[in-house]
Amino acid sequence: KHKEQLDNALKAIKETQKKRSKLEQDVQIENDHMAKIKVRLTAVKTNKEYSAILAEVDAAKQKISALEDEELSIMEILEKEEKKIPDIQNGYKKEEQEFQEFKKQKEAEIARINQDLEARRKKRAEIAKPIEAQWLGLYDKLIKHRGEQVVVLLKEGVCRGCFQQIRPQMAIEIRTGEKVHQCSHCNRILYWVPEPETETAVPK
């Protein structure tokens, strides 16, 4: 926003300077024209010719006066526009400085995240080495569809991913741990952890 304001202000000043330059050229042209008219006065032979040339001089003077008035008006506008520039420039410089600091912080944060991500990729690759390709592929596929929690606990016959009841036969097979099973409802990979037996009080 500040950059746009600054660009617009500088553009307005440039356009105004062009107008002023054009007016100065027009004034110079009229002055040259009037000087040529006055030279012709020396060659006048009749009062009629003399009066006509004086009228032409007066017309040139009026045109010059109008151009100079317009030039003064342009100069006032130019002065006002130029006075705005320092404040706009200061605002722009302040915003630019804050932005550069913000950018520097974010770039450092991105570098740190990338470094951490690379370390995690290496760690994941090490962990994934002993895993069969088919299960690793299944895991990656589930991650895309289900998010982070794709290997979930089976507890009391219930999948802790979707909280649906699992068939008793599948629950028994999961407890044996002989092969990988997926929940028939959400396709998450299920595992089972034996619960510690609770001691029962023996009556005396």
Side-chain angles (χ1 to χ4, degrees):
K1 184 180 177 181
H2 280 83
K3 180 69 166 60
E4 186 179 356
Q5 286 179 343
L6 181 60
D7 288 344
N8 289 338
L10 292 172
K11 185 179 178 182
I13 287 172
K14 191 174 180 180
E15 292 297 322
T16 307
Q17 286 173 337
K18 283 182 180 179
K19 289 179 183 178
R20 181 187 175 186
S21 180
K22 179 67 168 57
L23 287 169
E24 287 176 344
Q25 289 175 8
D26 291 344
V27 169
Q28 185 59 47
I29 289 169
E30 289 303 319
N31 279 324
D32 292 343
H33 177 61
M34 189 167 61
K36 290 176 182 178
I37 295 170
K38 288 180 178 179
V39 169
R40 284 162 50 197
L41 282 173
T42 58
V44 169
K45 295 178 180 179
T46 64
N47 288 333
K48 186 177 180 180
E49 288 178 338
Y50 185 78
S51 297
I53 290 175
L54 287 180
E56 199 173 342
V57 169
D58 288 338
K61 284 180 178 179
Q62 288 177 9
K63 191 172 182 179
I64 289 169
S65 179
L67 288 169
E68 287 175 342
D69 288 343
E70 190 176 352
E71 187 180 353
L72 286 171
S73 177
I74 290 289
M75 286 173 68
E76 288 176 3
I77 294 170
L78 186 60
E79 188 178 354
K80 287 179 182 178
E81 291 295 326
E82 286 174 341
K83 283 181 179 179
K84 294 178 184 177
I85 295 297
D87 288 339
I88 298 173
Q89 281 180 328
N90 290 336
Y92 170 68
K93 285 178 181 177
K94 183 181 177 183
E95 290 289 337
E96 176 68 13
Q97 185 178 357
E98 289 177 2
F99 169 72
Q100 291 300 332
E101 289 174 359
F102 174 81
K103 184 181 177 184
K104 188 177 179 180
Q105 289 174 359
K106 291 302 172 185
E107 284 174 346
E109 189 177 339
I110 289 168
R112 180 186 59 76
I113 291 170
N114 285 334
Q115 188 177 3
D116 181 58
L117 189 60
E118 185 60 28
R120 288 173 183 268
R121 284 197 184 106
K122 288 179 180 178
K123 186 177 180 181
R124 183 187 188 278
E126 287 296 319
I127 293 170
K129 276 181 181 180
I131 301 173
E132 293 180 27
Q134 69 177 95
W135 301 121
L136 194 61
L138 173 63
Y139 178 83
D140 289 339
K141 184 178 179 182
L142 288 170
I143 282 284
K144 289 179 181 177
H145 290 89
R146 295 293 181 183
E148 292 182 4
Q149 194 177 10
V150 296
V151 181
V152 297
L153 179 68
L154 175 70
K155 188 173 183 180
E156 297 176 355
V158 174
C159 167
R160 292 293 161 171
C162 64
F163 296 95
Q164 296 292 319
Q165 193 78 32
I166 300 301
R167 287 184 294 105
Q169 181 59 37
M170 182 185 286
I172 292 169
E173 291 175 1
I174 292 169
R175 287 191 184 97
T176 63
E178 292 181 359
K179 62 178 182 177
V180 176
H181 281 278
Q182 292 176 255
C183 173
S184 54
H185 301 286
C186 67
N187 291 326
R188 288 180 172 91
I189 299 168
L190 297 169
Y191 70 94
W192 178 72
V193 176
E195 295 181 13
E197 295 182 2
T198 54
E199 294 183 2
T200 54
V202 179
K204 294 180 179 179

